[in-house]
Short mmCIF file of all heavy atoms in Angstrom, two decimals:
data_model
loop_
_atom_site.label_atom_id
_atom_site.label_comp_id
_atom_site.label_asym_id
_atom_site.label_seq_id
_atom_site.Cartn_x
_atom_site.Cartn_y
_atom_site.Cartn_z
N ARG A 1072 -0.45 -5.73 -2.58
CA ARG A 1072 -1.25 -4.61 -2.07
C ARG A 1072 -2.14 -5.10 -0.95
O ARG A 1072 -2.43 -6.28 -0.83
CB ARG A 1072 -2.10 -4.02 -3.19
CG ARG A 1072 -1.25 -3.52 -4.35
CD ARG A 1072 -1.75 -2.22 -4.91
NE ARG A 1072 -0.82 -1.72 -5.91
CZ ARG A 1072 0.15 -0.86 -5.65
NH1 ARG A 1072 0.30 -0.39 -4.43
NH2 ARG A 1072 0.95 -0.45 -6.59
N ALA A 1073 -2.60 -4.17 -0.13
CA ALA A 1073 -3.43 -4.53 1.01
C ALA A 1073 -4.60 -3.58 1.13
O ALA A 1073 -4.52 -2.42 0.73
CB ALA A 1073 -2.61 -4.48 2.30
N VAL A 1074 -5.67 -4.07 1.70
CA VAL A 1074 -6.81 -3.24 2.07
C VAL A 1074 -6.62 -2.94 3.56
O VAL A 1074 -6.69 -3.84 4.39
CB VAL A 1074 -8.15 -3.94 1.83
CG1 VAL A 1074 -9.31 -3.09 2.33
CG2 VAL A 1074 -8.31 -4.29 0.35
N LEU A 1075 -6.33 -1.68 3.87
CA LEU A 1075 -6.13 -1.27 5.26
C LEU A 1075 -7.37 -0.56 5.76
O LEU A 1075 -7.86 0.36 5.13
CB LEU A 1075 -4.94 -0.30 5.37
CG LEU A 1075 -3.56 -0.86 5.07
CD1 LEU A 1075 -2.51 0.23 5.23
CD2 LEU A 1075 -3.24 -2.03 5.97
N LEU A 1076 -7.86 -1.00 6.91
CA LEU A 1076 -9.03 -0.39 7.53
C LEU A 1076 -8.63 0.30 8.83
O LEU A 1076 -7.81 -0.22 9.59
CB LEU A 1076 -10.08 -1.46 7.86
CG LEU A 1076 -10.56 -2.32 6.70
CD1 LEU A 1076 -11.48 -3.41 7.22
CD2 LEU A 1076 -11.25 -1.49 5.66
N ASP A 1077 -9.22 1.47 9.09
CA ASP A 1077 -8.96 2.13 10.36
C ASP A 1077 -9.98 1.61 11.39
O ASP A 1077 -10.76 0.70 11.11
CB ASP A 1077 -8.98 3.65 10.22
CG ASP A 1077 -10.35 4.22 9.85
OD1 ASP A 1077 -11.37 3.50 9.94
OD2 ASP A 1077 -10.40 5.41 9.47
N ASP A 1078 -9.97 2.20 12.58
CA ASP A 1078 -10.88 1.76 13.64
C ASP A 1078 -12.35 1.96 13.32
O ASP A 1078 -13.22 1.39 13.97
CB ASP A 1078 -10.54 2.48 14.95
CG ASP A 1078 -9.17 2.06 15.50
OD1 ASP A 1078 -8.71 0.94 15.17
OD2 ASP A 1078 -8.56 2.85 16.24
N ASN A 1079 -12.64 2.79 12.31
CA ASN A 1079 -14.03 3.03 11.89
C ASN A 1079 -14.37 2.27 10.62
O ASN A 1079 -15.35 2.60 9.95
CB ASN A 1079 -14.24 4.54 11.68
CG ASN A 1079 -14.07 5.31 12.95
OD1 ASN A 1079 -14.59 4.92 13.99
ND2 ASN A 1079 -13.30 6.39 12.90
N ALA A 1080 -13.54 1.30 10.24
CA ALA A 1080 -13.73 0.46 9.05
C ALA A 1080 -13.67 1.27 7.75
O ALA A 1080 -14.28 0.89 6.75
CB ALA A 1080 -15.03 -0.35 9.14
N GLN A 1081 -12.95 2.38 7.76
CA GLN A 1081 -12.73 3.17 6.56
C GLN A 1081 -11.50 2.63 5.83
O GLN A 1081 -10.48 2.36 6.47
CB GLN A 1081 -12.51 4.65 6.91
CG GLN A 1081 -13.68 5.31 7.58
CD GLN A 1081 -14.85 5.48 6.63
OE1 GLN A 1081 -14.71 6.00 5.54
NE2 GLN A 1081 -16.02 5.03 7.07
N VAL A 1082 -11.59 2.48 4.52
CA VAL A 1082 -10.47 1.96 3.72
C VAL A 1082 -9.49 3.09 3.41
O VAL A 1082 -9.89 4.18 3.01
CB VAL A 1082 -10.99 1.35 2.39
CG1 VAL A 1082 -9.84 0.90 1.51
CG2 VAL A 1082 -11.94 0.19 2.68
N HIS A 1083 -8.21 2.82 3.60
CA HIS A 1083 -7.17 3.79 3.28
C HIS A 1083 -6.71 3.62 1.84
O HIS A 1083 -6.38 2.51 1.41
CB HIS A 1083 -5.95 3.61 4.22
CG HIS A 1083 -6.22 4.07 5.59
ND1 HIS A 1083 -5.87 5.32 6.04
CD2 HIS A 1083 -6.84 3.47 6.63
CE1 HIS A 1083 -6.24 5.46 7.29
NE2 HIS A 1083 -6.84 4.35 7.67
N MET A 1084 -6.68 4.71 1.10
CA MET A 1084 -6.19 4.73 -0.28
C MET A 1084 -5.10 5.78 -0.37
O MET A 1084 -5.12 6.79 0.34
CB MET A 1084 -7.32 5.10 -1.24
CG MET A 1084 -8.52 4.18 -1.23
SD MET A 1084 -8.21 2.58 -1.95
CE MET A 1084 -8.07 3.01 -3.68
N LEU A 1085 -4.13 5.55 -1.24
CA LEU A 1085 -3.06 6.52 -1.48
C LEU A 1085 -3.38 7.29 -2.74
O LEU A 1085 -3.81 6.71 -3.74
CB LEU A 1085 -1.71 5.81 -1.64
CG LEU A 1085 -1.25 5.00 -0.43
CD1 LEU A 1085 0.06 4.28 -0.75
CD2 LEU A 1085 -1.07 5.89 0.77
N ASN A 1086 -3.17 8.59 -2.69
CA ASN A 1086 -3.41 9.44 -3.86
C ASN A 1086 -2.11 9.56 -4.66
O ASN A 1086 -1.09 10.00 -4.14
CB ASN A 1086 -3.87 10.83 -3.41
CG ASN A 1086 -4.13 11.75 -4.56
OD1 ASN A 1086 -4.23 11.34 -5.71
ND2 ASN A 1086 -4.26 13.02 -4.27
N VAL A 1087 -2.16 9.15 -5.90
CA VAL A 1087 -1.01 9.29 -6.81
C VAL A 1087 -1.27 10.55 -7.63
O VAL A 1087 -1.79 10.51 -8.74
CB VAL A 1087 -0.85 8.05 -7.72
CG1 VAL A 1087 0.38 8.17 -8.59
CG2 VAL A 1087 -0.81 6.78 -6.88
N SER A 1088 -0.92 11.70 -7.04
CA SER A 1088 -1.28 12.98 -7.64
C SER A 1088 -0.58 13.21 -8.98
O SER A 1088 -1.13 13.88 -9.86
CB SER A 1088 -0.96 14.12 -6.67
OG SER A 1088 0.39 14.11 -6.30
N LYS A 1089 0.61 12.67 -9.15
CA LYS A 1089 1.35 12.84 -10.41
C LYS A 1089 0.55 12.32 -11.60
O LYS A 1089 0.59 12.89 -12.68
CB LYS A 1089 2.69 12.11 -10.32
CG LYS A 1089 3.53 12.22 -11.57
CD LYS A 1089 4.86 11.51 -11.40
CE LYS A 1089 5.68 11.59 -12.67
NZ LYS A 1089 6.97 10.90 -12.53
N HIS A 1090 -0.21 11.23 -11.38
CA HIS A 1090 -0.97 10.63 -12.47
C HIS A 1090 -2.48 10.75 -12.28
O HIS A 1090 -3.25 10.28 -13.09
CB HIS A 1090 -0.60 9.16 -12.64
CG HIS A 1090 0.84 8.95 -13.01
ND1 HIS A 1090 1.35 9.32 -14.24
CD2 HIS A 1090 1.87 8.44 -12.31
CE1 HIS A 1090 2.64 9.04 -14.28
NE2 HIS A 1090 2.98 8.50 -13.12
N GLY A 1091 -2.91 11.34 -11.17
CA GLY A 1091 -4.33 11.61 -10.96
C GLY A 1091 -5.18 10.40 -10.67
O GLY A 1091 -6.28 10.28 -11.18
N TYR A 1092 -4.69 9.46 -9.83
CA TYR A 1092 -5.51 8.33 -9.45
C TYR A 1092 -5.20 7.93 -8.02
O TYR A 1092 -4.27 8.44 -7.41
CB TYR A 1092 -5.34 7.14 -10.42
CG TYR A 1092 -3.96 6.50 -10.40
CD1 TYR A 1092 -3.69 5.44 -9.56
CD2 TYR A 1092 -2.94 6.95 -11.23
CE1 TYR A 1092 -2.45 4.84 -9.53
CE2 TYR A 1092 -1.70 6.34 -11.22
CZ TYR A 1092 -1.47 5.30 -10.36
OH TYR A 1092 -0.22 4.71 -10.34
N HIS A 1093 -5.98 7.01 -7.48
CA HIS A 1093 -5.78 6.47 -6.14
C HIS A 1093 -5.40 5.00 -6.25
O HIS A 1093 -5.75 4.34 -7.23
CB HIS A 1093 -7.06 6.59 -5.31
CG HIS A 1093 -7.40 7.99 -4.94
ND1 HIS A 1093 -8.05 8.84 -5.80
CD2 HIS A 1093 -7.15 8.69 -3.81
CE1 HIS A 1093 -8.19 10.00 -5.21
NE2 HIS A 1093 -7.66 9.95 -4.00
N LYS A 1094 -4.72 4.47 -5.22
CA LYS A 1094 -4.35 3.07 -5.21
C LYS A 1094 -4.34 2.55 -3.79
O LYS A 1094 -4.26 3.33 -2.83
CB LYS A 1094 -2.99 2.84 -5.86
CG LYS A 1094 -1.82 3.40 -5.05
CD LYS A 1094 -0.49 3.05 -5.68
CE LYS A 1094 0.65 3.47 -4.76
NZ LYS A 1094 1.93 2.97 -5.18
N LEU A 1095 -4.42 1.23 -3.67
CA LEU A 1095 -4.26 0.61 -2.37
C LEU A 1095 -2.79 0.64 -1.98
O LEU A 1095 -1.91 0.60 -2.84
CB LEU A 1095 -4.73 -0.85 -2.43
CG LEU A 1095 -6.22 -1.07 -2.64
CD1 LEU A 1095 -6.50 -2.55 -2.93
CD2 LEU A 1095 -7.00 -0.62 -1.42
N PRO A 1096 -2.48 0.72 -0.69
CA PRO A 1096 -1.09 0.71 -0.26
C PRO A 1096 -0.41 -0.61 -0.63
O PRO A 1096 -1.03 -1.66 -0.61
CB PRO A 1096 -1.16 0.86 1.25
CG PRO A 1096 -2.57 1.07 1.62
CD PRO A 1096 -3.41 0.84 0.42
N GLY A 1097 0.85 -0.53 -0.95
CA GLY A 1097 1.63 -1.69 -1.34
C GLY A 1097 2.54 -1.29 -2.47
O GLY A 1097 2.69 -0.12 -2.79
N GLY A 1098 3.15 -2.28 -3.09
CA GLY A 1098 4.04 -1.96 -4.19
C GLY A 1098 4.72 -3.17 -4.76
O GLY A 1098 4.36 -4.31 -4.47
N GLY A 1099 5.75 -2.90 -5.56
CA GLY A 1099 6.43 -3.93 -6.31
C GLY A 1099 7.14 -4.96 -5.46
O GLY A 1099 7.61 -4.69 -4.36
N ILE A 1100 7.21 -6.17 -6.02
CA ILE A 1100 7.92 -7.27 -5.39
C ILE A 1100 9.31 -7.33 -5.99
O ILE A 1100 9.46 -7.45 -7.21
CB ILE A 1100 7.16 -8.60 -5.61
CG1 ILE A 1100 5.75 -8.50 -5.02
CG2 ILE A 1100 7.94 -9.76 -5.01
CD1 ILE A 1100 4.85 -9.66 -5.37
N GLU A 1101 10.33 -7.20 -5.15
CA GLU A 1101 11.71 -7.18 -5.63
C GLU A 1101 12.21 -8.61 -5.91
O GLU A 1101 11.66 -9.58 -5.38
CB GLU A 1101 12.59 -6.50 -4.58
CG GLU A 1101 11.97 -5.20 -4.14
CD GLU A 1101 12.95 -4.06 -4.09
OE1 GLU A 1101 14.16 -4.28 -4.17
OE2 GLU A 1101 12.47 -2.92 -3.97
N ALA A 1102 13.24 -8.72 -6.72
CA ALA A 1102 13.83 -10.01 -7.05
C ALA A 1102 14.22 -10.75 -5.77
O ALA A 1102 14.83 -10.17 -4.87
CB ALA A 1102 15.05 -9.82 -7.94
N GLY A 1103 13.81 -12.00 -5.67
CA GLY A 1103 14.15 -12.83 -4.52
C GLY A 1103 13.27 -12.60 -3.30
O GLY A 1103 13.46 -13.23 -2.26
N GLU A 1104 12.30 -11.71 -3.39
CA GLU A 1104 11.43 -11.37 -2.26
C GLU A 1104 10.10 -12.11 -2.41
O GLU A 1104 9.55 -12.19 -3.50
CB GLU A 1104 11.20 -9.85 -2.28
CG GLU A 1104 10.55 -9.28 -1.07
CD GLU A 1104 10.50 -7.76 -1.12
OE1 GLU A 1104 10.27 -7.18 -2.20
OE2 GLU A 1104 10.69 -7.15 -0.07
N ASP A 1105 9.59 -12.65 -1.31
CA ASP A 1105 8.28 -13.29 -1.39
C ASP A 1105 7.19 -12.22 -1.21
O ASP A 1105 7.46 -11.10 -0.77
CB ASP A 1105 8.14 -14.41 -0.35
CG ASP A 1105 8.21 -13.91 1.08
OD1 ASP A 1105 7.20 -13.36 1.55
OD2 ASP A 1105 9.27 -14.06 1.72
N ILE A 1106 5.97 -12.57 -1.55
CA ILE A 1106 4.87 -11.61 -1.57
C ILE A 1106 4.63 -10.98 -0.19
O ILE A 1106 4.49 -9.77 -0.06
CB ILE A 1106 3.58 -12.27 -2.10
CG1 ILE A 1106 3.74 -12.64 -3.56
CG2 ILE A 1106 2.37 -11.35 -1.94
CD1 ILE A 1106 2.61 -13.49 -4.13
N LEU A 1107 4.61 -11.80 0.86
CA LEU A 1107 4.33 -11.28 2.19
C LEU A 1107 5.44 -10.33 2.67
O LEU A 1107 5.16 -9.28 3.23
CB LEU A 1107 4.13 -12.41 3.20
CG LEU A 1107 3.68 -12.01 4.59
CD1 LEU A 1107 2.41 -11.17 4.56
CD2 LEU A 1107 3.48 -13.24 5.45
N SER A 1108 6.69 -10.68 2.41
CA SER A 1108 7.80 -9.79 2.79
C SER A 1108 7.71 -8.47 2.06
O SER A 1108 7.94 -7.41 2.63
CB SER A 1108 9.14 -10.45 2.50
OG SER A 1108 9.31 -11.59 3.30
N ALA A 1109 7.37 -8.53 0.77
CA ALA A 1109 7.22 -7.30 -0.03
C ALA A 1109 6.09 -6.45 0.53
O ALA A 1109 6.23 -5.23 0.66
CB ALA A 1109 6.95 -7.65 -1.48
N LEU A 1110 4.99 -7.07 0.88
CA LEU A 1110 3.85 -6.34 1.42
C LEU A 1110 4.21 -5.68 2.75
O LEU A 1110 3.93 -4.50 2.97
CB LEU A 1110 2.65 -7.25 1.59
CG LEU A 1110 1.37 -6.59 2.10
CD1 LEU A 1110 0.93 -5.47 1.17
CD2 LEU A 1110 0.28 -7.61 2.30
N GLU A 1111 4.87 -6.42 3.64
CA GLU A 1111 5.28 -5.85 4.92
C GLU A 1111 6.20 -4.65 4.71
O GLU A 1111 6.04 -3.60 5.36
CB GLU A 1111 5.98 -6.90 5.76
CG GLU A 1111 5.05 -7.98 6.27
CD GLU A 1111 5.79 -9.13 6.94
OE1 GLU A 1111 7.01 -9.28 6.75
OE2 GLU A 1111 5.11 -9.89 7.65
N ARG A 1112 7.17 -4.77 3.82
CA ARG A 1112 8.10 -3.68 3.55
C ARG A 1112 7.36 -2.46 2.99
O ARG A 1112 7.57 -1.33 3.44
CB ARG A 1112 9.19 -4.14 2.55
CG ARG A 1112 10.16 -3.05 2.13
CD ARG A 1112 11.16 -3.57 1.12
NE ARG A 1112 10.59 -4.27 -0.01
CZ ARG A 1112 9.96 -3.70 -1.04
NH1 ARG A 1112 9.80 -2.37 -1.07
NH2 ARG A 1112 9.49 -4.42 -2.03
N GLU A 1113 6.51 -2.68 2.01
CA GLU A 1113 5.78 -1.58 1.38
C GLU A 1113 4.83 -0.87 2.35
O GLU A 1113 4.73 0.35 2.35
CB GLU A 1113 5.01 -2.08 0.16
CG GLU A 1113 5.88 -2.43 -1.03
CD GLU A 1113 6.47 -1.20 -1.71
OE1 GLU A 1113 6.00 -0.06 -1.48
OE2 GLU A 1113 7.41 -1.38 -2.51
N LEU A 1114 4.13 -1.64 3.19
CA LEU A 1114 3.22 -1.02 4.15
C LEU A 1114 3.99 -0.15 5.15
O LEU A 1114 3.53 0.92 5.52
CB LEU A 1114 2.40 -2.07 4.88
CG LEU A 1114 1.37 -2.81 4.03
CD1 LEU A 1114 0.67 -3.87 4.86
CD2 LEU A 1114 0.37 -1.85 3.42
N MET A 1115 5.16 -0.60 5.57
CA MET A 1115 5.97 0.21 6.48
C MET A 1115 6.46 1.47 5.78
O MET A 1115 6.41 2.57 6.33
CB MET A 1115 7.15 -0.61 7.01
CG MET A 1115 7.98 0.14 8.02
SD MET A 1115 7.06 0.76 9.44
CE MET A 1115 6.89 -0.72 10.39
N GLU A 1116 6.92 1.33 4.52
CA GLU A 1116 7.44 2.48 3.77
C GLU A 1116 6.35 3.52 3.49
O GLU A 1116 6.57 4.72 3.62
CB GLU A 1116 8.04 2.03 2.43
CG GLU A 1116 9.34 1.29 2.54
CD GLU A 1116 9.81 0.76 1.19
OE1 GLU A 1116 9.17 1.03 0.14
OE2 GLU A 1116 10.82 0.02 1.18
N GLU A 1117 5.19 3.06 3.07
CA GLU A 1117 4.16 3.97 2.58
C GLU A 1117 3.27 4.57 3.67
O GLU A 1117 2.87 5.72 3.57
CB GLU A 1117 3.29 3.29 1.52
CG GLU A 1117 4.06 3.01 0.25
CD GLU A 1117 3.19 2.47 -0.87
OE1 GLU A 1117 2.05 2.05 -0.60
OE2 GLU A 1117 3.67 2.49 -2.01
N VAL A 1118 2.94 3.77 4.66
CA VAL A 1118 2.00 4.26 5.67
C VAL A 1118 2.45 4.03 7.11
O VAL A 1118 1.73 4.34 8.05
CB VAL A 1118 0.58 3.67 5.46
CG1 VAL A 1118 -0.02 4.10 4.16
CG2 VAL A 1118 0.59 2.16 5.57
N GLY A 1119 3.64 3.47 7.30
CA GLY A 1119 4.14 3.22 8.64
C GLY A 1119 3.38 2.13 9.38
O GLY A 1119 3.37 2.10 10.60
#
């Protein structure tokens, strides 16, 4: 997971409306994937 800041130093959170909570962008690490590669993939998928 990552803490993403915009140009005004505001933290971006994702709303998980199905379960009623917020989370930092990111996600699961797949088999054979290192942490940084997983983070790069998840950040592109979730927030571009």
Side-chain angles (χ1 to χ4, degrees):
R1072 301 220 174 266
V1074 175
L1075 293 180
L1076 303 174
D1077 66 14
D1078 293 336
N1079 297 313
Q1081 298 291 309
V1082 176
H1083 287 264
M1084 301 288 289
L1085 299 176
N1086 180 15
V1087 183
S1088 57
K1089 180 178 178 180
H1090 297 292
Y1092 67 91
H1093 290 82
K1094 69 176 187 169
L1095 292 170
I1100 301 171
E1101 312 226 347
E1104 191 174 38
D1105 63 78
I1106 294 171
L1107 187 54
S1108 295
L1110 182 59
E1111 290 171 344
R1112 177 182 50 76
E1113 288 288 345
L1114 291 177
M1115 183 56 78
E1116 288 175 4
E1117 292 186 345
V1118 296

